[in-house]
Amino acid sequence: MALLDDLKKTGRKGVFYKEHPTRKHGPKKDRLLVLRYTINKKTKTETFGWTSNGATELKAESKIIEFRENFKLGSGTTSLAEENEIAQKNKRDEDAKRRMEITVGELATEYIERHAKRKKKSWKEDLRMLNKDIVPVWDDWCAKDITRRDAAALIEDIVQRGAPVQSKRVMSLASKMFNLAIDWGYCDLNPFERMSSPVKEQPRVNVLDTEELKIFWHVLDDFNTNICMSVEMRKLLKLILVTGQRPGEVAGMHRREIDGRWWTIPTERTKNKKGPHRVYLSDLALEIVGNSQGYIFSGKMDSPIVVCSISQSLRRNILGESNGKKPKGLSGRNKKQAQKKIESTKTINRFGIKYFRPHDLRRTAYTGMAALKVPYEHRERVVNHTLGKLDETYNQHDFDNEKMRALTLWSQKLENLIAGNDSAKVVNLFPDVAEG
């Protein structure tokens, strides 16, 4: 038996040892203590442990005495193998109990770490909603004890505070989290399953018309206006409109992604993760990009502008207060005075056009290309929408020429608008684009 090879006796009955060939414990070589004892006419040989891990000859001998005493009494363990088996069973039972008693707060943390951070670019938004709408209410509640009535009450409270759209998003997030909890063995039911949506969310269809486009561009160009916006933010908004790309993708634009007239958005930065997306940079686009190095629209410490700040900037300049800052809320001691301050604050629309969101600029570019008779499939390729599975599998054409033509036409149209030549005909250098 290999375990008995080179065993040496210790001064303790039934306790043997083997020395490690190189490792030392103090001045001596590290020893592996081995038990060899007979109970009920059966001889057992088991490893007890290394002296470097706290095993001693006295403890080993005491363990043999304990096993023999247990055999005489007919209770307890009679071997290290039995002890290990019982310890593993107890651990499994404890783990199962813990899984079934996990709190919502603990589940939310695991959802973020185990799922959201790995699979969602927008995991920070999930974290924000959890910390605002779910964890404060159910933090120490056992996840498996949440009922449909509890779930309905949570969603209704969000609706009652005047945030019906938010309630729908919270419901979707919570349902996903509880479905994962079922997969992970934490609970058996999803309290949000088949729950009716609290609100029917209407798709946004806002686009900027011709007059609004002219005003938008000239306000960004005029540094004598009182808009509260950095040079980088002004350029970023322009490039969203000129290229039709997603605000987050434009905000993260880096010089290494640009090669001549082509900007390649890497797969990890695209929404659909279907591969790198190539965007043609027209003369107008190149003028906006300029010679900036690193991140083209850099925030602080050579980092890109944070996506949420784009929306905040537009809200501040179109819906915001006169000083560009939101007055402090009603949490102060003198609530009446705080409320009076808010009511008396005069709002100023620094753009002079109706409120729009950053994504509306992308929608405007898409609509503008449609008005210029750019074919549907070409528009879809420009904005990198997900197409049908069959098309993605069989159609391997790169559409670079079609993208170039579409974005060139759109840039020509914008340049005419900016120059005030609204009725000027766009010089179509690519006649086939106007077909279909």
Side-chain angles (χ1 to χ4, degrees), residues 137-138 141 143-158 171 178 189-196:
V137 181
W138 291 343
W141 290 34
K144 68 180 180 63
D145 292 337
I146 302 295
T147 65
R148 290 187 66 81
R149 179 175 293 181
D150 297 328
L154 177 79
I155 299 303
E156 181 60 24
D157 285 346
I158 300 174
M171 185 179 73
F178 274 93
L189 298 172
N190 177 359
F192 292 89
E193 187 176 9
R194 294 170 57 195
M195 182 178 288
S196 299

Short mmCIF file of all heavy atoms in Angstrom, two decimals, residues 137-138 141 143-158 171 178 189-196:
data_model
loop_
_atom_site.label_atom_id
_atom_site.label_comp_id
_atom_site.label_asym_id
_atom_site.label_seq_id
_atom_site.Cartn_x
_atom_site.Cartn_y
_atom_site.Cartn_z
N VAL A 137 -36.60 48.94 0.16
CA VAL A 137 -37.89 48.42 0.62
C VAL A 137 -37.76 46.99 1.14
O VAL A 137 -38.35 46.63 2.17
CB VAL A 137 -38.92 48.45 -0.53
CG1 VAL A 137 -40.28 47.94 -0.06
CG2 VAL A 137 -39.06 49.87 -1.08
N TRP A 138 -36.98 46.16 0.46
CA TRP A 138 -36.93 44.72 0.78
C TRP A 138 -35.54 44.25 1.22
O TRP A 138 -35.27 43.05 1.17
CB TRP A 138 -37.32 43.91 -0.46
CG TRP A 138 -38.76 44.02 -0.87
CD1 TRP A 138 -39.80 44.47 -0.12
CD2 TRP A 138 -39.30 43.66 -2.14
NE1 TRP A 138 -40.97 44.41 -0.83
CE2 TRP A 138 -40.70 43.90 -2.08
CE3 TRP A 138 -38.78 43.14 -3.32
CZ2 TRP A 138 -41.56 43.67 -3.15
CZ3 TRP A 138 -39.62 42.90 -4.39
CH2 TRP A 138 -40.99 43.16 -4.29
N TRP A 141 -35.53 41.33 3.65
CA TRP A 141 -36.61 40.35 3.44
C TRP A 141 -36.03 39.10 2.79
O TRP A 141 -35.15 39.17 1.93
CB TRP A 141 -37.68 40.91 2.52
CG TRP A 141 -38.52 42.02 3.12
CD1 TRP A 141 -38.12 42.97 4.00
CD2 TRP A 141 -39.89 42.30 2.83
NE1 TRP A 141 -39.14 43.83 4.28
CE2 TRP A 141 -40.24 43.45 3.58
CE3 TRP A 141 -40.83 41.71 2.01
CZ2 TRP A 141 -41.52 44.00 3.53
CZ3 TRP A 141 -42.10 42.25 1.96
CH2 TRP A 141 -42.44 43.39 2.72
N ALA A 143 -35.81 36.42 0.15
CA ALA A 143 -36.24 36.47 -1.26
C ALA A 143 -37.37 35.49 -1.55
O ALA A 143 -38.31 35.82 -2.28
CB ALA A 143 -35.05 36.20 -2.17
N LYS A 144 -37.31 34.29 -0.96
CA LYS A 144 -38.34 33.28 -1.26
C LYS A 144 -39.69 33.60 -0.64
O LYS A 144 -40.70 33.00 -0.99
CB LYS A 144 -37.88 31.90 -0.79
CG LYS A 144 -37.78 31.73 0.72
CD LYS A 144 -37.31 30.32 1.07
CE LYS A 144 -37.21 30.14 2.58
NZ LYS A 144 -38.48 30.27 3.27
N ASP A 145 -39.70 34.57 0.29
CA ASP A 145 -40.96 34.93 0.96
C ASP A 145 -41.69 36.09 0.30
O ASP A 145 -42.78 36.48 0.74
CB ASP A 145 -40.69 35.27 2.43
CG ASP A 145 -40.24 34.06 3.24
OD1 ASP A 145 -40.56 32.93 2.80
OD2 ASP A 145 -39.59 34.24 4.27
N ILE A 146 -41.09 36.71 -0.73
CA ILE A 146 -41.75 37.82 -1.42
C ILE A 146 -42.96 37.28 -2.18
O ILE A 146 -42.85 36.33 -2.96
CB ILE A 146 -40.79 38.51 -2.41
CG1 ILE A 146 -39.54 39.04 -1.67
CG2 ILE A 146 -41.49 39.65 -3.14
CD1 ILE A 146 -39.82 40.13 -0.68
N THR A 147 -44.13 37.87 -1.96
CA THR A 147 -45.36 37.41 -2.59
C THR A 147 -45.75 38.32 -3.75
O THR A 147 -45.19 39.40 -3.94
CB THR A 147 -46.51 37.39 -1.58
OG1 THR A 147 -46.79 38.75 -1.17
CG2 THR A 147 -46.15 36.56 -0.34
N ARG A 148 -46.72 37.88 -4.52
CA ARG A 148 -47.22 38.70 -5.63
C ARG A 148 -47.85 39.99 -5.10
O ARG A 148 -47.77 41.03 -5.75
CB ARG A 148 -48.25 37.91 -6.45
CG ARG A 148 -47.62 36.78 -7.25
CD ARG A 148 -48.62 36.12 -8.17
NE ARG A 148 -49.07 37.00 -9.23
CZ ARG A 148 -48.40 37.23 -10.35
NH1 ARG A 148 -47.23 36.65 -10.55
NH2 ARG A 148 -48.89 38.02 -11.29
N ARG A 149 -48.45 39.90 -3.93
CA ARG A 149 -49.03 41.11 -3.33
C ARG A 149 -47.94 42.11 -2.98
O ARG A 149 -48.09 43.31 -3.19
CB ARG A 149 -49.82 40.73 -2.07
CG ARG A 149 -50.44 41.93 -1.37
CD ARG A 149 -51.31 41.51 -0.20
NE ARG A 149 -52.49 40.78 -0.66
CZ ARG A 149 -53.43 40.31 0.16
NH1 ARG A 149 -53.31 40.49 1.46
NH2 ARG A 149 -54.47 39.68 -0.33
N ASP A 150 -46.81 41.60 -2.45
CA ASP A 150 -45.67 42.48 -2.15
C ASP A 150 -45.15 43.13 -3.44
O ASP A 150 -44.86 44.33 -3.47
CB ASP A 150 -44.53 41.68 -1.50
CG ASP A 150 -44.91 41.09 -0.16
OD1 ASP A 150 -45.72 41.71 0.56
OD2 ASP A 150 -44.41 40.00 0.16
N ALA A 151 -45.04 42.32 -4.49
CA ALA A 151 -44.53 42.83 -5.77
C ALA A 151 -45.46 43.90 -6.34
O ALA A 151 -45.01 44.95 -6.81
CB ALA A 151 -44.36 41.68 -6.76
N ALA A 152 -46.77 43.63 -6.28
CA ALA A 152 -47.74 44.59 -6.81
C ALA A 152 -47.69 45.90 -6.03
O ALA A 152 -47.80 46.99 -6.59
CB ALA A 152 -49.14 43.99 -6.77
N ALA A 153 -47.53 45.80 -4.71
CA ALA A 153 -47.47 47.00 -3.87
C ALA A 153 -46.23 47.83 -4.18
O ALA A 153 -46.28 49.07 -4.21
CB ALA A 153 -47.47 46.59 -2.39
N LEU A 154 -45.10 47.15 -4.43
CA LEU A 154 -43.86 47.87 -4.76
C LEU A 154 -44.02 48.67 -6.05
O LEU A 154 -43.67 49.85 -6.11
CB LEU A 154 -42.72 46.86 -4.92
CG LEU A 154 -41.37 47.45 -5.34
CD1 LEU A 154 -40.67 48.08 -4.15
CD2 LEU A 154 -40.47 46.39 -5.95
N ILE A 155 -44.59 48.03 -7.08
CA ILE A 155 -44.76 48.71 -8.36
C ILE A 155 -45.78 49.84 -8.25
O ILE A 155 -45.58 50.93 -8.80
CB ILE A 155 -45.21 47.69 -9.44
CG1 ILE A 155 -44.13 46.61 -9.62
CG2 ILE A 155 -45.48 48.40 -10.75
CD1 ILE A 155 -42.76 47.14 -9.97
N GLU A 156 -46.86 49.62 -7.50
CA GLU A 156 -47.89 50.65 -7.33
C GLU A 156 -47.33 51.88 -6.63
O GLU A 156 -47.68 53.01 -6.98
CB GLU A 156 -49.08 50.08 -6.56
CG GLU A 156 -50.23 51.06 -6.35
CD GLU A 156 -50.83 51.56 -7.66
OE1 GLU A 156 -50.70 50.87 -8.70
OE2 GLU A 156 -51.42 52.66 -7.64
N ASP A 157 -46.45 51.68 -5.66
CA ASP A 157 -45.84 52.82 -4.95
C ASP A 157 -45.03 53.69 -5.92
O ASP A 157 -45.04 54.92 -5.82
CB ASP A 157 -44.93 52.32 -3.83
CG ASP A 157 -45.71 51.81 -2.63
OD1 ASP A 157 -46.92 52.10 -2.56
OD2 ASP A 157 -45.12 51.12 -1.79
N ILE A 158 -44.34 53.06 -6.87
CA ILE A 158 -43.55 53.82 -7.85
C ILE A 158 -44.48 54.59 -8.78
O ILE A 158 -44.21 55.73 -9.14
CB ILE A 158 -42.63 52.87 -8.63
CG1 ILE A 158 -41.67 52.15 -7.69
CG2 ILE A 158 -41.83 53.65 -9.69
CD1 ILE A 158 -40.81 51.09 -8.35
N MET A 171 -40.11 46.77 -12.74
CA MET A 171 -40.79 45.47 -12.79
C MET A 171 -40.03 44.50 -13.68
O MET A 171 -39.85 43.32 -13.33
CB MET A 171 -42.22 45.64 -13.31
CG MET A 171 -43.04 44.36 -13.28
SD MET A 171 -44.72 44.62 -13.87
CE MET A 171 -44.41 44.81 -15.63
N PHE A 178 -35.45 37.72 -10.23
CA PHE A 178 -36.09 36.57 -9.57
C PHE A 178 -36.06 35.33 -10.46
O PHE A 178 -35.99 34.20 -9.94
CB PHE A 178 -37.51 36.92 -9.15
CG PHE A 178 -37.57 37.59 -7.81
CD1 PHE A 178 -37.57 38.98 -7.71
CD2 PHE A 178 -37.62 36.85 -6.64
CE1 PHE A 178 -37.61 39.60 -6.48
CE2 PHE A 178 -37.66 37.46 -5.40
CZ PHE A 178 -37.65 38.85 -5.31
N LEU A 189 -40.38 30.51 -6.92
CA LEU A 189 -41.37 31.27 -7.68
C LEU A 189 -40.89 32.69 -7.94
O LEU A 189 -40.14 33.26 -7.15
CB LEU A 189 -42.70 31.33 -6.91
CG LEU A 189 -43.40 29.98 -6.66
CD1 LEU A 189 -44.59 30.19 -5.74
CD2 LEU A 189 -43.84 29.34 -7.96
N ASN A 190 -41.34 33.25 -9.06
CA ASN A 190 -41.06 34.64 -9.40
C ASN A 190 -42.32 35.46 -9.13
O ASN A 190 -43.31 35.32 -9.85
CB ASN A 190 -40.66 34.75 -10.88
CG ASN A 190 -40.42 36.18 -11.32
OD1 ASN A 190 -40.56 37.13 -10.54
ND2 ASN A 190 -40.06 36.36 -12.58
N PRO A 191 -42.33 36.31 -8.11
CA PRO A 191 -43.54 37.07 -7.77
C PRO A 191 -43.97 38.06 -8.84
O PRO A 191 -45.10 38.54 -8.81
CB PRO A 191 -43.15 37.79 -6.47
CG PRO A 191 -41.67 37.89 -6.52
CD PRO A 191 -41.20 36.64 -7.21
N PHE A 192 -43.08 38.36 -9.80
CA PHE A 192 -43.41 39.32 -10.86
C PHE A 192 -43.86 38.63 -12.15
O PHE A 192 -44.20 39.31 -13.11
CB PHE A 192 -42.19 40.20 -11.16
CG PHE A 192 -41.82 41.14 -10.05
CD1 PHE A 192 -40.95 40.73 -9.05
CD2 PHE A 192 -42.36 42.41 -9.99
CE1 PHE A 192 -40.60 41.59 -8.02
CE2 PHE A 192 -42.01 43.28 -8.96
CZ PHE A 192 -41.14 42.86 -7.96
N GLU A 193 -43.87 37.31 -12.16
CA GLU A 193 -44.21 36.58 -13.38
C GLU A 193 -45.64 36.87 -13.81
O GLU A 193 -46.56 36.88 -13.01
CB GLU A 193 -44.03 35.07 -13.16
CG GLU A 193 -44.20 34.25 -14.42
CD GLU A 193 -43.94 32.78 -14.17
OE1 GLU A 193 -43.79 32.38 -13.00
OE2 GLU A 193 -43.88 32.02 -15.15
N ARG A 194 -45.81 37.15 -15.11
CA ARG A 194 -47.11 37.42 -15.73
C ARG A 194 -47.83 38.63 -15.12
O ARG A 194 -49.04 38.77 -15.26
CB ARG A 194 -48.01 36.19 -15.62
CG ARG A 194 -47.51 34.99 -16.41
CD ARG A 194 -48.27 33.73 -16.09
NE ARG A 194 -49.69 33.92 -16.34
CZ ARG A 194 -50.64 33.10 -15.88
NH1 ARG A 194 -50.31 32.08 -15.12
NH2 ARG A 194 -51.91 33.32 -16.18
N MET A 195 -47.10 39.51 -14.46
CA MET A 195 -47.72 40.72 -13.91
C MET A 195 -48.00 41.70 -15.04
O MET A 195 -47.17 41.92 -15.92
CB MET A 195 -46.80 41.36 -12.87
CG MET A 195 -47.37 42.59 -12.22
SD MET A 195 -46.25 43.28 -10.95
CE MET A 195 -46.44 42.05 -9.66
N SER A 196 -49.18 42.29 -15.04
CA SER A 196 -49.56 43.24 -16.08
C SER A 196 -48.70 44.49 -16.00
O SER A 196 -48.38 44.98 -14.92
CB SER A 196 -51.04 43.63 -15.93
OG SER A 196 -51.86 42.50 -16.06
#
